[in-house]
Amino acid sequence: MATRHNWTKEEILEIYNKPLMELLYEAATVHRKNHDPNTVQVSTLLSIKTGGCPEDCGYCPQAARYHTNVEGNDLMSVNQVKAQALRAKESGSSRVCMGAAWRNVKDGEEFDSVLEMVRTINKLDMEVCCTLGMITENQAQRLAEAGLYAYNHNLDSSEEYYKEVISTRGYQDRLDTIGNVRKTNVTVCSGGIIGMGESVDDRAGMLVALSTLSPQPESVPINALVPVEGTPMEEQEPVSIWEMVRMVATARIVMPETQVRLSAGRTQMSREGQAMCFFAGANSIFAGDKLLTTPNPDVNEDMELFKSLGLNPQKAFEKKEQPKSVSAEESKYQNLGEKPKWSRPGHTIERNVEAQQKSKAKA
């Protein structure tokens, strides 16, 4: 069956709401046709610059405006990142994802350092992913030249519900950033979060947005919200394992060739729940005790789970060949000193404003 890029919300809702056993069977069948069901890609997420983000994302403890006890740190050095990458490789990860709490990439010394980090990790024969906020076409080309394998930029939710989560940037900017990455040979990693108070309709809307991209993202992280004290979403009820399983299974059916990543929220899941997600088509996880700032299962726990289920970590560059790294001196794309005008919708989200006021009162 060829990959479709014209899924409608109605079709996706019909899949999501199928009797669970039927949904699981269909998803597992699609999964086996397109992937080795006993192989799972393992990534390590590394926060290279933590906290102090100017955005108002309602779920995020790194937003400077919320009081969340997250310790901020400046950009890590290339040597610090190399040491962490080697540790990740030893523990079974084939990919390092570097995250910086930035609104968007700014040309200059810090971005030059990130490019050097990309070159360094690529030379360790590991896949390198970055999530740095919005990027221009030239910045995407510079990352590609450095040897970047994937760029992560999550859509978070449906376009409609996005406005209830974030007021400091627009949905179209997310799509434009993905479009800029697609002008290079870098793969796209884009997914979202469930459990933010959205409806099932919104979940389907997010899957419409992702599945109608052409090509579809090579990787789609499905996160369950981890409510953090001090954020506007601190009192959200955690999603049930059945909702996660349905979301993973539906994503697998509508994006058959994509790697569906079981991301944030795994600490709340039982081993049996995670196993059901793997059966439903999840074939990628984040390993390590932290996902940027939220807890994650210990890597040894994950390896024990893999052993119990007969799963093997995927080798690096199994899906796509290793990119070559061009040195800074030989780079065709240079620092343009760009200052792009990414949008700021600026509408008011009551719960975000309330959380900010609470934070000011605590300060």
Side-chain angles (χ1 to χ4, degrees):
M1 189 174 90
T3 299
R4 279 182 54 188
H5 299 278
N6 60 347
W7 290 98
T8 65
K9 191 192 281 189
E10 292 69 32
E11 287 174 315
I12 289 176
L13 282 169
E14 195 178 321
I15 294 168
Y16 184 97
N17 290 316
K18 279 185 178 195
L20 188 64
M21 297 306 157
E22 202 177 312
L23 175 61
L24 280 171
Y25 180 77
E26 187 178 339
T29 304
V30 170
H31 187 51
R32 284 164 180 274
K33 278 182 185 166
N34 293 278
H35 306 271
D36 175 352
N38 298 315
T39 301
V40 174
Q41 193 267 328
V42 183
S43 298
T44 292
L45 185 54
L46 181 60
S47 184
I48 58 171
K49 188 270 173 190
T50 308
C53 184
E55 305 293 271
D56 78 334
C57 308
Y59 53 79
C60 187
Q62 298 204 65
R65 63 190 72 203
Y66 309 134
H67 188 78
T68 59
N69 297 321
V70 163
E71 283 186 34
N73 68 270
D74 294 333
L75 190 70
M76 290 170 74
S77 70
V78 175
N79 283 340
Q80 284 174 313
V81 167
K82 183 179 181 180
Q84 296 272 24
L86 285 167
R87 196 171 302 143
K89 188 175 185 179
E90 279 168 27
S91 67
S93 285
S94 60
R95 181 182 296 188
V96 172
C97 300
M98 298 188 287
W102 293 335
R103 169 178 165 80
N104 59 276
V105 168
K106 291 175 182 164
D107 290 341
E109 280 182 25
E110 288 199 327
F111 186 42
D112 290 344
S113 287
V114 172
L115 294 172
E116 203 50 49
M117 292 172 195
V118 172
R119 292 184 188 100
T120 301
I121 298 172
N122 189 41
K123 284 171 190 164
L124 299 177
D125 296 326
M126 295 184 81
E127 297 172 9
V128 196
C129 177
C130 282
T131 179
L132 312 169
M134 277 89 76
I135 56 172
T136 64
E137 184 182 342
N138 184 67
Q139 289 163 345
Q141 294 287 8
R142 294 181 74 197
L143 283 163
E145 271 194 330
L148 192 71
Y149 185 90
Y151 194 83
N152 167 265
H153 203 59
N154 289 339
L155 295 184
D156 289 341
S157 190
S158 67
E159 185 166 5
E160 294 74 22
Y161 196 69
Y162 190 82
K163 300 179 182 77
E164 304 299 317
V165 178
I166 302 157
S167 74
T168 53
R169 61 181 181 216
Y171 205 72
Q172 189 56 46
D173 290 343
R174 319 298 284 167
L175 297 169
D176 289 347
T177 290
I178 291 170
N180 288 336
V181 174
R182 278 293 179 220
K183 292 169 186 167
T184 72
N185 64 350
V186 175
T187 64
V188 167
C189 173
S190 185
I193 308 169
I194 67 171
M196 299 190 292
E198 77 287 342
S199 65
V200 172
D201 259 41
D202 289 312
R203 292 174 192 174
M206 179 179 83
L207 291 178
V208 169
L210 292 166
S211 64
T212 53
L213 291 171
S214 187
Q216 292 176 341
E218 284 80 359
S219 178
V220 169
I222 304 291
N223 297 277
L225 177 74
V226 178
V228 177
E229 192 179 340
T231 63
M233 295 185 179
E234 63 181 359
E235 290 177 10
Q236 283 295 137
E237 284 295 313
V239 294
S240 74
I241 187 62
W242 309 120
E243 292 170 278
M244 271 308 272
V245 169
R246 284 187 180 278
M247 195 66 183
V248 166
T250 309
R252 167 52 65 228
I253 291 165
V254 300
M255 292 177 279
E257 294 177 47
T258 293
Q259 296 216 264
V260 177
R261 181 174 295 143
L262 206 51
S263 298
R266 279 202 301 126
T267 45
Q268 277 83 39
M269 294 179 206
S270 67
R271 290 158 67 92
E272 294 83 0
Q274 291 181 66
M276 201 173 280
C277 287
F278 292 134
F279 182 73
N283 60 341
S284 178
I285 60 165
F286 277 124
D289 60 357
K290 263 193 179 175
L291 293 188
L292 297 179
T293 58
T294 54
N296 197 48
D298 179 80
V299 69
N300 295 326
E301 280 177 50
D302 285 332
M303 290 307 117
E304 277 176 31
L305 179 60
F306 275 31
K307 195 175 175 185
S308 301
L309 302 176
L311 297 174
N312 302 302
Q314 182 179 300
K315 292 183 171 63
F317 313 112
E318 211 163 273
K319 298 283 183 182
K320 183 176 178 284
E321 67 179 33
Q322 182 173 6
K324 290 184 171 63
S325 287
V326 175
S327 69
E329 296 72 37
E330 293 173 1
S331 176
K332 190 172 85 173
Y333 296 91
Q334 298 300 319
N335 174 350
L336 298 180
E338 293 178 282
K339 292 182 180 172
K341 293 288 183 198
W342 298 102
S343 70
R344 291 183 186 273
H347 57 282
T348 300
I349 302 172
E350 288 301 331
R351 63 181 172 184
N352 291 14
V353 173
E354 281 170 25
Q356 190 175 355
Q357 287 167 346
K358 264 197 217 170
S359 174
K360 282 179 182 169
K362 281 183 183 175

